[in-house]
Amino acid sequence: MRLPATDLGIMAEHLATHEGVINKLKIYYATVRNSALRNLLHTHLQVLRNHVRAMLILIDPNQQGPYHLHEMEDVHLNFGNEQFSEQEKDITLEARATAKLMSSNNFMSALMMNDANVKHVHIEMALQEVRLQSLYSEIVHHINGDFTPKVTEKMQLLTMQKYYHVLGE
């Protein structure tokens, strides 16, 4: 199958990014001792390797027919009584940011791609990264590593009232 130049260029850029992120996550994996975080990093590495495999198959001009991305395995975080070191907390926050950025990149790239199968696979990749981001967020919540300010109920109601008229437009 011959790809549009746009799709090939985007995937070539993604492959370089994946190479760097995989190597970064391998360093993190070798560094952390917390089993929940180690398991999640291992899963993230496997997902990224599957993404690389998918892009290489999509790039292969001898590939015939549509390609479907491998599904991400179910991950259940078991925190047990293990503590997280400060470094592990930082790694968790950074890995979550990486998953978020890669998801956004895949979604935006899919919008620019022309081949329907390539586009669909990149949307699936983005959704897997969203799932990984959510899993990292579970750890962040467990370690109280995040602070999200909340607005008042009054402010929410004022905003709702301000824009309620749009339903009638």
Side-chain angles (χ1 to χ4, degrees), residues 46-128:
Q46 292 307 109
V47 166
L48 291 177
R49 288 177 179 130
N50 284 336
H51 291 182
V52 168
R53 187 174 297 109
M55 286 186 281
L56 291 174
I57 289 170
L58 290 168
I59 290 170
D60 183 353
N62 297 316
Q63 170 68 20
Q64 299 299 317
Y67 178 79
H68 300 283
L69 188 64
H70 291 314
E71 289 189 26
M72 188 176 134
E73 65 184 62
D74 281 339
V75 177
H76 303 285
L77 299 173
N78 182 12
F79 297 113
N81 292 328
E82 289 181 88
Q83 299 297 311
F84 286 78
S85 70
E86 287 302 313
Q87 185 180 31
E88 289 171 334
K89 290 176 183 178
D90 292 340
I91 287 171
T92 303
L93 291 169
E94 205 287 322
R96 179 178 68 169
T98 297
K100 180 180 180 180
L101 180 62
M102 293 193 76
S103 177
S104 176
N105 192 342
N106 279 316
F107 274 127
M108 294 302 292
S109 295
L111 293 174
M112 294 183 286
M113 291 174 166
N114 295 304
D115 182 87
N117 188 222
V118 173
K119 181 184 291 268
H120 179 73
V121 168
H122 277 79
I123 291 170
E124 289 178 331
M125 289 178 188
L127 292 172
Q128 288 181 352

